[in-house]
Amino acid sequence: MNQLHETARALVATGKGILAADESTATITRRFEAVGIAPTEEQRRAYRELLLTTPAIEEYLSGVILFDETIRQQASDGIPFPELLARKGILPGIKVDRGAAPLALADGETVTEGLDGLRARFEEYRGLGARFAKWRATYSIGGHRPSDYCIWTNAHALARYAALAQEAGLVPIVEPEVLMDGPHSIEESARASGRALEALFTELHDQRVDYRGLLLKPNMVLAGYAAPQPATADAVAESTLEVLYRHVPAAVPGVVFLSGGQPDEDATVHLNAMSLRGPHPWQLSFSYARALQSPAMDAWAGRPEGVQAAQRAFAHRARMNSAAREGAYSRELEQQGVRSS
Ligand code: 13P
C-alpha cells in the first residue's frame, strides 16, 4: 500500500473522525461575534489551543484540518500546532481553497478559487507538517440552481486540486457541499447531491486522481432548513446512502460527512443511523466543524476560566460521534455523557 492509501485509511480508522478547525478568518470572526468573543489573532490562537489540547481527544480524532494562520501558530508552551498534533498521533491537515467567489454569468452561484500557485503552497504546507488537505465547493438549490455549469466548473477545480495534492504527497479531501438553506424537499436535495457527485467522480477519473488515496466529504441529504417538515432520521439515512451507493466508487476508502449547520445531536443521530445500515463499501465517519465545536465555543466564550468546561463539551461531542461511527450512539449515552462531563 502506498503512503497516500495509508494516510487516507488512517484518517478513517475505527472509532475516529476528523475535526474541521479550518475556519477562515472571516468565518471564525462571524462565529466569535455571534457569542461575544473578540475576533483577535490571539483569541483565535487560544481557542484552537483549547481544542487541540483537550485531554484524550486522540481517542476520537484521527486528523484536524487547520487554516493557513493556524498551521503557523503555536501552543502557549511554544510547540507548533502541527507538532502538538503529531505527538498525539493526530494527522495535521490544511484547508487550501481560497473560498467561493461569484461564478461569472451565473446568477447566485459560486466557484471555489485557489488553484493559482497551489503547487508551491502544497510544498510549503508539506514542510509545515500537513499530511492531508481540504477544498470545499458549494452549490445552492432553488430556481434552476444548481446549474450544470456550476456543477462542472466546481468539479473540474476540485479534481485539479486533488491531482496537485496527490502529486505533493497529501491526501485530498474533496468537499462538494450542497447547501441546505431554503425550502427544498429531501428529493431535490438528493437529486442535486447526486449530480454534484457524478460530475466530481468523472473529473477525478479523467484527471487521473487515485480514488484509494482520497476522502469524500459530502453533505448529508436533508430537507432544506426552511422546508415545511424536516425529514426523519431514517429518511436522511436512506436518502444519503442511496445517493452514495449510486455515485461513489467502492475504491474510495472513506466518506467523512460535514455537519452543514444541522443541530449538533442531529448530525450524530444521522451518522449513527447510517452506520447501523452497514457494512458499507467505504468507512463512514465525520469531519465536522460546527457540530463538534458549538457547545465548546459557547462554554469558553473567550474566558480563560471557561477552558475546562469547553474542553469537556468538545470531548463529549467527539465521543458521541465516535460512538455513532459504530452504530453505538443512543439518547442514554448522550445523557450519561452530559451528567459525567
Ligand atoms: P461544518 O461541519 O460546520 O459544516 O463544517 C465542515 C467544513 O469543514 C466546512 O468546510
Side-chain angles (χ1 to χ4, degrees):
M1 202 174 8
N2 73 28
Q3 189 67 52
L4 285 172
H5 301 178
E6 255 174 59
T7 303
R9 287 166 64 135
L11 285 166
V12 289
T14 307
K16 294 188 184 180
I18 297 170
L19 165 68
D22 62 334
E23 298 87 350
S24 65
T25 303
T27 300
I28 197 83
T29 295
R30 248 193 344 269
R31 304 228 167 114
F32 274 9
E33 285 178 342
V35 291
I37 302 169
T40 62
E41 182 178 348
E42 173 49 25
Q43 286 292 64
R44 291 192 292 273
R45 193 207 61 75
Y47 176 63
R48 267 66 180 252
E49 176 170 3
L50 169 172
L51 295 174
L52 305 188
T53 58
T54 294
I57 203 65
E58 62 275 16
E59 290 174 29
Y60 314 112
L61 294 185
S62 54
V64 175
I65 316 173
L66 304 168
F67 181 58
D68 181 76
E69 175 183 275
T70 323
I71 200 170
R72 304 170 196 280
Q73 287 176 324
Q74 309 175 341
S76 312
D77 58 7
I79 300 179
F81 284 153
E83 191 182 328
L84 187 159
L85 289 171
R87 286 188 192 180
K88 290 174 182 258
I90 298 175
L91 295 165
I94 182 74
K95 165 197 176 78
V96 298
D97 69 71
R98 294 208 149 129
L103 178 62
L105 309 181
D107 198 21
E109 297 193 293
T110 61
V111 63
T112 299
E113 297 192 332
L115 289 170
D116 288 354
L118 187 54
R119 178 177 275 126
R121 289 170 64 217
F122 270 132
E123 283 310 310
E124 188 193 5
Y125 288 137
R126 172 108 205 162
L128 289 167
R131 303 281 303 281
F132 71 103
K134 185 192 98 173
W135 178 289
R136 170 176 179 251
T138 55
Y139 317 84
S140 57
I141 297 180
H144 296 291
R145 296 189 310 271
S147 65
D148 283 345
Y149 169 34
C150 172
I151 281 178
W152 284 94
T153 319
N154 276 296
H156 187 80
L158 273 159
R160 283 197 62 198
Y161 139 80
L164 284 163
Q166 290 191 339
E167 182 188 83
L170 279 80
V171 167
I173 295 185
V174 288
E175 181 178 7
E177 177 176 7
V178 177
L179 300 167
M180 294 299 143
D181 304 304
H184 57 266
S185 65
I186 190 168
E187 290 80 15
E188 285 172 287
S189 171
R191 260 194 307 281
S193 303
R195 287 170 58 215
L197 289 173
E198 194 60 32
L200 174 58
F201 282 100
T202 302
E203 288 287 349
L204 289 169
H205 173 269
D206 288 357
Q207 295 188 44
R208 307 177 180 175
V209 176
D210 178 358
Y211 291 169
R212 293 187 197 278
L214 66 80
L215 296 175
L216 174 68
K217 176 164 173 168
N219 53 283
M220 295 184 193
V221 175
L222 314 174
Y225 294 137
Q229 286 286 325
T232 63
D234 282 341
V236 170
E238 275 155 30
S239 307
T240 306
L241 288 171
E242 175 70 12
V243 168
L244 296 179
Y245 272 85
R246 281 172 183 249
H247 301 285
V248 181
V252 173
V255 174
V256 295
F257 292 102
L258 60 93
S259 60
Q262 304 177 63
D264 308 332
E265 291 182 23
D266 286 9
T268 313
V269 167
H270 293 154
L271 177 60
N272 194 64
M274 287 187 267
S275 304
L276 284 173
R277 287 163 168 79
H280 304 296
W282 344 263
Q283 294 293 315
L284 294 188
S285 186
F286 57 91
S287 175
Y288 300 154
R290 282 164 287 181
L292 282 173
Q293 293 184 45
S294 307
M297 198 184 288
D298 289 347
W300 179 53
R303 304 161 306 127
E305 61 276 22
V307 166
Q308 280 196 353
Q311 291 185 328
R312 279 198 301 274
F314 172 50
H316 176 63
R317 288 262 51 82
R319 193 163 62 243
M320 293 303 102
N321 285 295
S322 166
R325 279 208 57 188
E326 314 310 315
Y329 174 76
S330 64
R331 292 285 167 207
E332 294 69 44
L333 194 68
E334 182 74 59
Q335 290 311 318
Q336 276 168 23
V338 170
R339 275 197 298 276
S340 67
S341 63

